[in-house]
Amino acid sequence: MRYELSPLPYAYNALEPVISAEIMQLHHDKHHAAYVAGANAALEKLEKYQNGDLPDLDVKATLRDLSFHVAGHELHELFWRTMQAPSDNNVPTGEIAEKIEKSFGSFSAFQKLFSATAKSVEGSGWAVLYESPKNGLLVLSVEKHNLNHAPGYTPILALDVWEHAYYLDYKNDRGAYVDAWWRVVKWE
Ligand code: MN
């Protein structure tokens, strides 16, 4: 089994002016691709170790590496496919709107919490909206790509707040990036 990088579901410039083509190209083709390569390299090491082709392996470090890269890969796959060309008054409708209202009271209450989560991530990480069939929706901040996930919950919307996601466009103003990002969320 090997991980594969999916092509972007739109052109590099599709999210402009919220996210530039330059960022999208670097972010997808270099950063995301590196997570896929890292995940596959860790898998290969583990396979060789299992088969006896690699006499010695720091299993603990390799598994940590695998966790980081697999989570990075999966969160980016989700990130790309839940964005689209920017639009004004971009709010959820239908089933997702109902679920948000049920779990958070209103869309604006959810938006306030999610934005504050994204803006308050220390260093590199993500704001993630999760869903559990039993317990509804939950917002968490993820450190790096792999720390703080909630077992039993599936990520359904994720905002990358690593500097590589916005620095070329917004410099150190992560808040402006987070506020603008709501225009490109693909709610459907
Ligand atoms: Mn990223």
Side-chain angles (χ1 to χ4, degrees), residues 50-68:
Q50 288 159 229
N51 299 339
D53 295 335
L54 192 62
D56 199 24
L57 179 69
D58 185 341
V59 171
K60 186 175 169 182
T62 309
L63 292 178
R64 192 183 290 137
D65 214 32
L66 184 65
S67 167
F68 174 82

Side-chain angles (χ1 to χ4, degrees), residues 53-145:
D53 295 335
L54 192 62
D56 199 24
L57 179 69
D58 185 341
V59 171
K60 186 175 169 182
T62 309
L63 292 178
R64 192 183 290 137
D65 214 32
L66 184 65
S67 167
F68 174 82
H69 287 98
V70 169
H73 169 50
E74 291 297 346
L75 283 178
H76 283 91
E77 291 276 318
L78 176 65
F79 185 51
W80 308 134
R81 71 173 184 267
T82 49
M83 294 192 288
Q84 62 183 4
S87 62
D88 296 326
N89 307 312
N90 183 30
V91 295
T93 56
E95 200 185 334
I96 182 65
E98 286 167 25
K99 287 179 178 177
I100 285 173
E101 235 167 78
K102 198 175 167 201
S103 290
F104 302 101
S106 67
F107 174 65
S108 62
F110 158 71
Q111 196 174 29
K112 182 180 175 181
L113 174 64
F114 193 91
S115 286
T117 302
K119 291 173 189 179
S120 68
V121 169
E122 274 179 342
S124 300
W126 299 72
V128 179
L129 174 65
Y130 295 86
E131 182 176 27
S132 142
K134 206 167 69 176
N135 300 311
L137 304 181
L138 182 71
V139 171
L140 289 178
S141 71
V142 168
E143 293 173 27
K144 298 202 272 186
H145 301 307

Side-chain angles (χ1 to χ4, degrees), residues 27 31 35 76 79-80 126 145 160 162 164-165:
H27 197 172
H31 291 279
Y35 300 132
H76 283 91
F79 185 51
W80 308 134
W126 299 72
H145 301 307
D160 189 341
W162 282 56
H164 68 222

